[in-house]
């Protein structure tokens, strides 16, 4: 008799062309933040074909959805993303940086794969449920704006994850493993300065420079960095520098700030200090400042019980079919790395395989597609942020990485965009779908695993209760 997980894997393989076509279609229509009108359509079409009930436009987001199949307990959530990044357009399969559309968007974080891999997992476990008439509910969440805006945080604020027993997700990466560490909480905030325009040479005394205020704010924050916790991060971008005429005192200027720290309350503390600096800069320049809160997300809480189960499935279900042709293809991206980046891969290989001899370490570190799987270690934190963090505060959550991006290439890079429609990328999304579905099977058939995960979640929270960090009056935009 066929092993149930083998059956699920075969069910996903039988529909592989459908998922691959969807991923490539989303790659070809890259959209950012909440404006994912085209990117969400393949999900709607496939989910309708597969018999899911789909609710659209939830939590004040036009292109969000929740697709449901089945009934009863447990209720398993699977998280799908499909937003791209600005100014990362790239010609597919090219081994050098070249925009397909100058200044256009691109899938530099692999969310065209992430969303369709999650979809494959949801359809795979749905097919198994239907074939075996098992009890349980599968919910696929369509989540816009993970990169900036944090759609899941708005969905959490609306209570969409409240009924879940467990949530599962994944992410493309340059090596496989489980996400077993925390992330940083973050606020995203705009600071808009308003001044008075004047001729910069003939009547400078009549002007009040909003650009001066913005620059003074940045200087003030630079001095603040010495006086926040070591793990804190504060970054900014100019969204308005007041125009291109140097002989006009700039009447407007705007900054976009990301403020990060390990805990949301630490972010709040730094945020209040940054606000005072902005207000001080406005006072110094006799301008006005408007503080415009954009969004926020919590730090990620890895659940050991479900993450361990997912990792074990990764070891068996997460293997990609990679041959010499795929390695030859990926070599173009490995060759684009600096010598320092290549050496870092050798160091990483030794860290993950300390028992290997030097020749093997060099081989592992020089592969264009990673062969290793990271050991499962529950310690440390990443300096990045993700709105999966909000989900992890609501229910036990686990996610994995699949090494379907060229080894050594970073997220948010032209290499990831170029690789986004390759056979390697396609293998990655299918491996992710199989791992997600296999873990969902464990949760459906092992009530003790669900109970263990929920008990651990409550222990991790230690009495804290999730409360959205996004003010009630702030809406997605």
């Amino acid at each position: 008799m066929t092993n149930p997980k083998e059956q699920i894997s075969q069910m996903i393989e039988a529909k592989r062309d459908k998922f691959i076509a969807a991923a490539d279609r989303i790659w070809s229509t890259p959209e950012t933040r909440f404006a994912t009108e085209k990117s969400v359509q393949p999900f709607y079409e496939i989910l309708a074909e597969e018999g899911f009930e789909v609710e659209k436009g939830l939590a004040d987001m036009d292109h969000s959805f929740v697709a449901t199949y089945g009934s009863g307990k447990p209720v398993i959530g699977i998280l799908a993303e499909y937003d791209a990044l600005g100014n990362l357009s790239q010609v597919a399969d090219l081994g050098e940086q070249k925009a397909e559309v100058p200044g256009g968007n691109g899938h530099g974080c692999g969310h065209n794969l992430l969303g369709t891999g999650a979809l494959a997992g949801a359809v795979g476990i749905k097919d198994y449920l239907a074939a075996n008439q098992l009890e349980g509910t599968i919910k696929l969440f369509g989540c816009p704006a993970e990169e900036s805006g944090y759609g899941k945080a708005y969905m959490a604020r609306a209570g969409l994850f409240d009924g879940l027993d467990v949530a599962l997700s994944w992410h493309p990466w340059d090596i496989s493993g489980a996400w077993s560490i925390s992330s940083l909480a973050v606020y995203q905030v705009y600071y808009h300065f308003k001044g008075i325009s004047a001729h910069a040479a003939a009547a400078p005394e009549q002007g009040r420079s909003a650009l001066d205020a913005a620059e003074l704010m940045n200087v003030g924050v630079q001095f603040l960095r010495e006086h926040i916790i070591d793990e804190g991060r504060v970054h900014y971008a100019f969204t308005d520098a007041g125009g291109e005429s140097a002989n006009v005192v700039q009447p407007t200027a705007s900054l976009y700030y990301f403020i990060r720290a390990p805990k949301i309350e630490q972010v709040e503390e730094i945020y209040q200090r940054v606000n005072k600096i902005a207000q001080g800069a406005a006072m110094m320049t006799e301008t006005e400042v408007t503080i415009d809160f954009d969004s926020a997300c919590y730090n990620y809480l890895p659940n050991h019980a479900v993450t361990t189960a997912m990792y074990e499935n990764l070891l068996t279900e997460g293997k990609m079919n990679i041959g010499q042709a795929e390695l030859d293809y990926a070599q173009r991206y490995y060759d684009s790395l600096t010598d320092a980046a290549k050496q870092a891969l050798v160091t990483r290989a030794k860290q993950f395989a300390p028992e290997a001899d030097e020749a093997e370490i060099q081989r592992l570190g020089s592969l264009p597609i990673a062969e290793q799987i990271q050991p499962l270690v529950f310690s440390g934190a990443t300096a990045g942020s993700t709105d999966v963090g909000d989900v992890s505060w609501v229910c036990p959550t686990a996610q994995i990485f699949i090494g379907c991006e060229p080894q050594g290439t970073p997220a948010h890079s032209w290499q990831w965009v170029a690789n986004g429609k390759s056979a390697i990328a396609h293998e990655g999304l299918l491996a992710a779908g199989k791992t997600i579905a296999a873990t969902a099977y464990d949760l459906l058939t092992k009530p003790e695993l669900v109970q263990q995960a929920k008990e651990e979640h409550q222990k991790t929270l230690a009495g804290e209760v999730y409360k959205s960090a996004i003010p009630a009056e702030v809406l997605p935009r």
Side-chain angles (χ1 to χ4, degrees):
M1 183 175 180
T2 305
N3 179 287
K5 293 181 182 179
E6 291 179 2
Q7 291 182 40
I8 294 168
S9 177
Q10 292 167 5
M11 288 170 168
I12 292 173
E13 278 293 330
K15 297 178 179 179
R16 65 179 288 141
D17 291 346
K18 178 185 293 192
F19 304 129
I20 288 171
D24 288 355
R25 183 174 158 192
I26 295 167
W27 187 97
S28 299
T29 58
E31 299 166 304
T32 62
R33 284 179 64 96
F34 300 99
T36 53
E37 180 179 6
K38 295 177 181 177
S39 303
V40 77
Q41 294 306 318
F43 292 93
Y44 291 159
E45 295 166 12
I46 292 173
L47 289 166
E49 292 173 3
E50 295 293 338
F52 283 79
E53 295 182 7
V54 183
E55 298 177 84
K56 304 176 183 179
L58 306 173
D60 298 303
M61 296 179 289
D62 290 339
H63 310 304
S64 65
F65 68 85
V66 178
T68 304
Y69 184 89
S71 61
K73 290 283 193 175
V75 182
I76 301 168
I78 301 173
L79 310 177
E81 300 167 13
Y82 33 87
D83 60 317
L85 289 155
N87 200 30
L88 265 181
S89 175
Q90 168 66 30
V91 175
D93 305 319
L94 189 64
E96 61 181 299
Q97 188 171 9
K98 182 180 179 182
E100 186 175 62
V101 178
N105 305 329
H107 274 283
C109 211
H111 290 184
N112 63 309
L113 308 173
L114 194 165
T116 49
L119 174 64
V123 171
I125 192 61
K126 179 273 297 184
D127 284 347
Y128 188 84
L129 276 177
N132 293 276
Q133 298 181 330
L134 293 180
E135 184 175 358
T137 304
I138 306 300
K139 287 182 174 288
L140 181 69
F141 291 83
C143 311
E146 189 276 338
E147 295 292 356
S148 179
Y150 304 133
K152 295 183 202 66
Y154 284 102
M155 297 173 95
R157 188 179 71 174
L160 297 185
F161 304 114
D162 288 355
L164 295 184
D165 291 301
V166 176
L168 304 174
S169 188
W170 82 287
H171 206 291
W173 210 248
D174 77 316
I175 192 168
S176 296
W179 191 332
S180 55
I181 60 177
S182 184
S183 63
L184 297 182
V186 62
Y187 282 8
Q188 297 179 182
V189 189
Y190 290 97
Y191 294 88
H192 303 293
F193 291 93
K194 181 180 179 182
I196 301 172
S197 62
H199 195 294
E205 73 283 356
Q206 295 183 30
R208 299 293 182 269
S209 175
L211 182 59
D212 286 354
E215 291 191 289
L216 284 167
M217 176 184 174
N218 285 337
V219 170
V221 172
Q222 174 62 23
F223 283 101
L224 174 66
R225 288 188 176 93
E226 182 185 358
H227 303 286
I228 64 174
I229 56 177
D230 290 346
E231 301 86 352
R233 298 287 186 273
V234 185
H235 352 277
Y236 71 92
F238 273 95
T239 59
D240 173 20
E244 298 181 358
S245 296
N247 66 336
V248 176
V249 175
Q250 291 87 350
T252 63
S254 293
L255 295 162
Y256 190 33
Y257 264 73
F258 278 46
I259 304 168
R260 307 182 199 252
K263 300 288 186 181
I264 203 76
E265 57 268 22
Q266 295 169 322
V267 179
E268 172 68 21
E269 180 182 351
I270 298 171
Y271 166 64
Q272 294 299 336
R273 297 182 73 180
V274 171
N275 287 351
K276 290 177 182 177
I277 291 170
Q279 292 158 354
M283 290 178 64
M284 285 190 285
T285 54
E286 294 185 326
T287 60
E288 300 173 6
V289 64
T290 301
I291 300 170
D292 183 11
F293 198 104
D294 180 38
S295 194
C297 71
Y298 270 66
N299 58 302
Y300 178 67
L301 301 176
N303 185 274
H304 294 206
V306 186
T307 301
T308 300
M310 200 172 193
Y311 182 78
E312 291 172 353
N313 284 309
L314 171 66
L315 297 177
T316 56
E317 308 297 327
K319 295 179 180 179
M320 299 184 294
N321 185 19
I322 299 296
Q324 192 58 49
E326 288 75 29
L327 293 173
D328 291 344
Y329 168 87
Q331 189 69 41
R332 67 195 70 183
Y333 306 121
Y334 178 86
D335 290 343
S336 72
L337 300 176
T338 65
D339 289 342
K342 292 175 182 177
Q343 184 55 46
L345 296 177
V346 174
T347 302
R348 181 172 76 174
K350 187 172 184 178
Q351 176 188 353
F352 294 157
E355 73 289 347
D357 60 29
E358 187 60 30
E360 177 65 2
I361 293 297
Q362 291 293 329
R363 186 190 73 84
L364 291 170
S366 62
L367 288 171
I369 295 296
E371 190 177 283
Q372 291 175 291
I373 295 179
Q374 291 184 21
L376 181 60
V377 178
F378 289 101
S379 64
T382 175
S385 305
T386 173
D387 60 6
V388 180
D390 288 70
V391 185
S392 74
W393 277 75
V394 177
C395 69
T397 303
Q399 48 188 345
I400 53 158
F401 296 115
I402 297 289
C404 58
E405 303 291 355
Q407 185 170 208
T409 58
H412 298 192
S413 67
W414 66 265
Q415 292 98 327
W416 279 34
V417 189
N419 181 63
K421 296 200 295 182
S422 70
I424 303 163
H426 298 154
E427 283 293 319
L429 78 87
L430 292 167
K434 294 171 186 176
T435 304
I436 289 170
T439 308
Y441 170 81
D442 288 338
L443 294 164
L444 288 165
T445 58
K446 298 178 181 178
E448 68 276 11
L449 175 58
V450 176
Q451 186 60 31
Q452 181 185 356
K454 296 174 82 167
E455 289 175 359
E456 178 193 329
H457 186 249
Q458 290 303 312
K459 185 177 180 180
T460 299
L461 291 177
E464 292 187 70
V465 177
Y466 173 78
K467 179 182 178 182
S468 176
I470 305 172
E473 68 275 10
V474 175
L475 299 177
R477 51 187 159 147

